[in-house]
Amino acid sequence: MTNYNGHCHCGQTEWTVKLDDPGHILWSVALLPLDENKDHHCDACKILSGGEHTLNTLAGKDDIKITKGTLKTYDYQGDSGNPVHCYYCPNCTSHVYHHQTVMGDKIVIRTALLEGGKKFKVNAEIFGKDRLDWQPELAKTFPGPPE
């Protein structure tokens, strides 16, 4: 495992995370209005990122250490019906990581916030069913979450 340092947009929050494979997993997002009765994971990512997908990887909950600042949290209901806990900088609101409780002790790290993240390759795409028609497939694609 290799340590990677990360920081939020304003620099108020910093962290170190241990990763086995420092590649991106693209969470593709739908550009459709939210269903008021159900918050779809992919729509949540669209709102959080303001773009077509978010850049992420998986790590163990014990593999991240906040080295500067304190994170705030909020929760929403994921596609599984289980809670998703979002951890973000209280000043600039950069999302450091999410914990989807359905995933046990794994967390979703935002790879674009890591030093060297621009050079990470794309390992997979999930929620590919919601990829925009003009967006090319960049890696192995799963229609929803990988099973």
Side-chain angles (χ1 to χ4, degrees):
M1 291 180 73
T2 303
N3 285 329
Y4 291 88
N5 296 318
H7 61 85
C8 65
H9 185 256
C10 72
Q12 184 173 307
T13 305
E14 296 178 359
W15 60 93
T16 299
V17 63
K18 295 177 189 173
L19 299 177
D20 280 330
D21 184 359
H24 298 295
I25 300 172
L26 306 183
W27 258 255
S28 292
V29 297
L31 294 178
L32 301 172
L34 283 176
D35 177 343
E36 293 180 2
N37 298 316
K38 186 174 181 189
D39 184 9
H40 300 280
H41 171 75
C42 50
D43 285 334
C45 283
K46 173 213 171 268
I47 291 169
L48 291 171
S49 73
E52 199 273 329
H53 56 258
T54 57
L55 303 174
N56 310 280
T57 198
L58 301 178
K61 285 172 68 175
D62 295 335
D63 292 332
I64 189 168
K65 180 180 178 187
I66 305 303
T67 57
K68 180 181 174 186
T70 303
L71 299 176
K72 290 186 84 171
T73 64
Y74 74 92
D75 302 333
Y76 68 90
Q77 183 180 358
D79 247 7
S80 67
N82 294 306
V84 176
H85 309 295
C86 304
Y87 296 83
Y88 63 96
C89 171
N91 187 51
C92 67
T93 71
S94 294
H95 283 236
V96 176
Y97 71 96
H98 292 191
H99 177 231
Q100 299 175 3
T101 57
V102 72
M103 294 175 64
D105 69 347
K106 295 290 184 187
I107 58 173
V108 179
I109 301 285
R110 294 288 198 245
T111 50
L113 301 175
L114 298 176
E115 292 175 6
K118 289 182 181 181
K119 296 182 180 182
F120 292 178
K121 66 182 190 284
V122 177
N123 288 339
E125 294 183 61
I126 63 172
F127 292 95
K129 64 183 174 56
D130 295 320
R131 184 185 322 112
L132 297 173
D133 291 342
W134 51 263
Q135 183 71 28
E137 183 174 11
L138 300 175
K140 180 174 180 168
T141 301
F142 300 89
E147 298 180 11

